[in-house]
């Protein structure tokens, strides 16, 4: 009796990877057999059979997981050339910012360019207000100094 049980389980392990998609009936058969054995009286024979069926159930789960991993790997190997070419195309299409040749520029031209870039960077980061805001601030300062005159000559800088 034990020999036939182990022979059936052995054949199940051998055939399960071959018919992995068709393993659902095996899972159901094993699950019902486990339920039946759990309801029976706990004898050494039923405990051994229960352990064997539970091991078979665990192996079927491992086989299912292995087959899913195999499918993902096959999909990756099939799509690898397309993925590689897409990434290569992205790298080829990447263009870095081109900078002008500064070696021919004079000191004054370089200083003006640096000041212009600094102003541009500061205004992009919000440290220098845009023209509309600047004119409103200047207008507000003129009104303030008109309403609250001081002995000093105000300088309006923004």
């Amino acid at each position: 009796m034990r020999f036939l049980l182990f022979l059936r389980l052995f054949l199940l392990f051998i055939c399960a990877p071959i018919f992995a998609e068709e393993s659902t009936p095996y899972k159901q058969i094993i699950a019902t057999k486990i339920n039946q054995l759990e309801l029976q009286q706990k004898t050494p024979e039923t405990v051994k059979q229960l352990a064997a069926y539970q091991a078979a159930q665990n192996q079927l789960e491992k086989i299912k997981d292995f087959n899913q991993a195999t499918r993902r790997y096959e999909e990756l190997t099939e799509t690898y050339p397309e993925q590689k070419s897409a990434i290569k195309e992205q790298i080829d299409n990447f263009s870095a910012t081109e900078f002008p040749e500064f070696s021919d520029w004079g000191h004054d031209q370089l200083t003006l360019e640096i000041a212009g870039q600094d102003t541009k960077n500061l205004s992009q980061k919000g440290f220098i207000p845009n023209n509309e805001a600047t004119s409103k601030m200047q207008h507000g300062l003129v009104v303030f100094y008109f309403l609250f005159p001081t002995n000093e000559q105000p300088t309006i800088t923004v």
Side-chain angles (χ1 to χ4, degrees):
M1 176 71 180
R2 265 192 245 167
F3 178 72
L4 290 176
L5 174 67
F6 287 114
L7 181 63
R8 286 189 346 201
L9 290 175
F10 178 74
L11 289 175
L12 178 65
F13 288 134
I14 298 295
C15 296
I18 298 170
F19 304 107
E21 281 75 27
E22 300 172 10
S23 67
T24 305
Y26 295 117
K27 289 179 187 178
Q28 292 172 351
I29 293 169
I30 291 174
T32 56
K33 191 64 176 172
I34 288 173
N35 289 338
Q36 290 172 357
L37 289 172
E38 286 175 343
L39 295 175
Q40 291 180 2
Q41 187 179 4
K42 301 294 181 204
T43 64
E45 184 68 29
T46 58
V47 171
K48 286 181 185 178
Q49 287 180 355
L50 184 61
Y53 278 109
Q54 288 173 339
Q57 189 176 36
N58 291 338
Q59 286 299 321
L60 282 176
E61 284 298 316
K62 288 180 182 179
I63 289 169
K64 183 185 94 177
D65 294 342
F66 177 77
N67 287 337
Q68 288 174 350
T70 303
R71 279 191 215 103
R72 287 193 306 269
Y73 179 73
E74 287 173 349
E75 181 181 315
L76 177 67
T77 56
E78 289 172 1
T79 60
Y80 176 76
E82 292 89 21
Q83 291 176 356
K84 180 182 173 185
S85 63
I87 291 173
K88 185 169 176 22
E89 185 177 325
Q90 287 177 354
I91 290 171
D92 291 342
N93 291 339
F94 179 78
S95 63
T97 305
E98 293 188 22
F99 296 101
E101 181 62 42
F102 293 115
S103 60
D104 297 338
W105 290 16
H107 181 268
D108 293 337
Q109 191 175 5
L110 283 172
T111 305
L112 287 173
E113 181 66 25
I114 291 171
Q117 289 296 324
D118 286 346
T119 304
K120 180 180 169 186
N121 289 338
L122 288 173
S123 66
Q124 286 176 348
K125 293 178 182 175
F127 292 116
I128 297 177
N130 60 19
N131 291 338
E132 182 181 336
T134 304
S135 65
K136 287 181 181 179
M137 288 173 64
Q138 286 176 344
H139 180 68
L141 287 173
V142 168
V143 170
F144 177 78
Y145 286 125
F146 178 74
L147 294 174
F148 304 104
T150 61
N151 291 340
E152 299 175 11
Q153 179 65 25
T155 50
I156 301 172
T157 56
V158 180

